[in-house]
Amino acid sequence: MKPNYFSRLAHFPPRIFPASPTPRLVNFSPIAGVNIRARSTDVFWLFSFTVLLLFILLWGAATGSYQLSLLKSWQIILSPDSAPERLVRIIWEFRLPRLLAAALCGAALAIAGVILQSITRNALASPGLIGVEAGASATMLLFVVIMPGLVPITLLPASAMLGGFSVAALIWVLSSMAGYSPIRLVLVGVGITSMLSAFSEMLITYGDIELVESALMWLGGSLHQVSWAQVEVMVFWLIVPGVLAWLFFRPLNLLILGDQVAFSRGVVHRKIIPFLLLLSVALTSASVATAGTLTFVGLIAPHIARRFCADRHGALIPLSALIGACLVALGDTLGRSVFAPLQLPAGLVLVMVGAPYFIVLMSRLRKV
């Protein structure tokens, strides 16, 4: 009997393929009783960008209209009592609050961008997609240009945050009336954002020029009026939603594979996606209320982070936060120093510097 193909195949020795290298894992316990396992490469990049962020903050504290050395600014930060009062005021009252606020806002927007890109499975999703920035901007312009004096200046950030939450809730209701769909969420978000942008442009065009100028500085992503009180509020709004988002990194790993795959692993997207959207809205609203519109950070920071850790959200979320913090802190420092004493808004600097890099980055990828 003539042997068939499968019987002849049995006489061939099995092919031995080289095993894929097993990633080295690092165990560490940041808190007693809590053990975290991470890849050594992820730990390396997290440490590297942490050092880079600290250097940018130190350099930003020494840079400005009144130039200081890195060593001098470090000494003033560590021991302000032994430094001249004028230099202490420059560092502690003017530069450090805006630098820390820039880093916190950049980290918040980056985490919000990671969440939105994962739940919508859209590489171009950003915090502006869900209308938070457009709602906060329109609310700010409404109270500054149309109804000046109605809301105290100290409560304007809170009103902007309320406007962002309201618009995000409207977009969620409209996009989920016939059942949730990532595409429907994107389309409704784009439509509402376009309407609010047109309303904001109308207020800017026909509003009082002096009132419009004060609002435009905030809309451009300016941090010149940030105080320590706003930094403390921003710390709360970053830590609470940011830590909650990181705790859901496993469901996020499954959601990018599709709703059916996530559901087969026990992730009910109808319950978890609204909660993740709420976290994204909270992070974006707090950032917009503090520093204005910096949408570009939430778009580019996750893409840069993925080049170091792919789509592993356990490392992607903190790494994106560090990269977003570096981007905004660097943009604010360059805006203060390049054309000193003229100060450019951090949002404008980020678009001018980051947009060309983002275009080059996307052109190198074969598939987005």
Side-chain angles (χ1 to χ4, degrees):
M1 181 177 178
K2 186 177 180 180
N4 58 22
Y5 170 77
F6 294 102
S7 63
R8 292 197 307 269
L9 188 63
H11 294 286
F12 286 92
R15 297 183 63 184
I16 300 176
F17 294 94
S20 58
T22 303
R24 294 183 57 187
L25 298 179
V26 178
N27 296 326
F28 58 96
S29 300
I31 305 175
V34 178
N35 187 26
I36 297 178
R37 301 178 65 188
R39 298 192 182 194
S40 57
T41 54
D42 295 339
V43 175
F44 170 77
W45 289 118
L46 287 170
F47 176 78
S48 300
F49 279 101
T50 301
V51 173
L52 178 61
L53 176 60
L54 294 176
F55 173 78
I56 292 174
L57 293 176
L58 181 61
W59 176 59
T63 305
S65 301
Y66 189 90
Q67 191 73 24
L68 297 172
S69 65
L70 294 178
L71 180 59
K72 187 65 175 179
S73 62
W74 179 252
Q75 292 174 348
I76 295 173
I77 292 174
L78 290 182
S79 56
D81 296 334
S82 60
E85 183 180 356
R86 178 169 59 91
L87 297 182
V88 173
R89 187 178 182 186
I90 291 175
I91 296 294
W92 281 93
E93 292 188 18
F94 296 105
R95 293 181 182 176
L96 277 184
R98 65 184 296 169
L99 282 171
L100 293 177
L104 293 170
C105 292
L109 288 172
I111 296 174
V114 171
I115 294 173
L116 288 174
Q117 291 175 11
S118 299
I119 64 178
T120 61
R121 297 187 290 278
N122 186 345
L124 298 179
S126 66
L129 178 70
I130 52 177
V132 178
E133 293 190 348
S137 302
T139 305
M140 184 81 170
L141 286 170
L142 183 66
F143 286 120
V144 172
V145 178
I146 302 300
M147 296 178 288
L150 182 62
V151 177
I153 296 178
T154 55
L155 295 180
L156 282 177
S159 63
M161 185 180 297
L162 180 61
F165 269 101
S166 302
V167 174
L170 175 63
I171 291 175
W172 170 254
V173 170
L174 294 177
S175 62
S176 59
M177 290 178 63
Y180 170 76
S181 170
I183 297 178
R184 189 179 296 112
L185 176 66
V186 171
L187 294 177
V188 173
V190 170
I192 298 296
T193 301
S194 300
M195 292 174 56
L196 291 173
S197 298
F199 175 73
S200 299
E201 291 293 334
M202 182 186 68
L203 294 181
I204 293 172
T205 303
Y206 297 102
D208 183 82
I209 186 63
E210 294 182 359
L211 299 175
V212 168
E213 284 181 355
S214 62
L216 285 178
M217 285 297 296
W218 178 82
L219 292 175
S222 178
L223 293 153
H224 70 285
Q225 292 183 343
V226 172
S227 63
W228 281 109
Q230 292 173 288
V231 172
E232 293 173 358
V233 172
M234 193 63 212
V235 167
F236 170 80
W237 284 103
L238 173 63
I239 290 179
V240 176
V243 171
L244 289 175
W246 182 80
L247 292 175
F248 282 83
F249 69 89
R250 287 190 177 90
L252 285 170
N253 289 338
L254 296 172
L255 284 173
I256 61 175
L257 301 176
D259 295 338
Q260 294 181 352
V261 175
F263 183 76
S264 66
R265 294 301 184 95
V267 177
V268 182
H269 66 278
R270 294 181 180 179
K271 295 181 179 179
I272 196 171
I273 286 181
F275 177 72
L276 292 173
L277 275 176
L278 179 64
L279 296 180
S280 178
V281 170
L283 290 165
T284 307
S285 298
S287 176
V288 172
T290 302
T293 54
L294 299 166
T295 312
F296 194 74
V297 181
L299 176 64
I300 191 175
H303 283 287
I304 298 176
R306 285 189 181 94
R307 297 182 67 85
F308 300 100
C309 65
D311 278 318
R312 300 188 303 274
H313 286 78
L316 180 61
I317 290 175
L319 189 57
S320 298
L322 288 172
I323 293 174
C326 290
L327 288 174
V328 181
L330 181 62
D332 180 66
T333 303
L334 292 176
R336 288 188 293 110
S337 59
V338 174
F339 299 103
L342 179 65
Q343 296 189 12
L344 297 179
L348 178 60
V349 177
L350 285 172
V351 173
M352 293 171 58
V353 177
Y357 172 76
F358 185 71
I359 294 173
V360 173
L361 177 66
M362 291 295 102
S363 65
R364 291 181 179 179
L365 299 179
R366 290 178 296 178
K367 183 174 68 174
V368 178

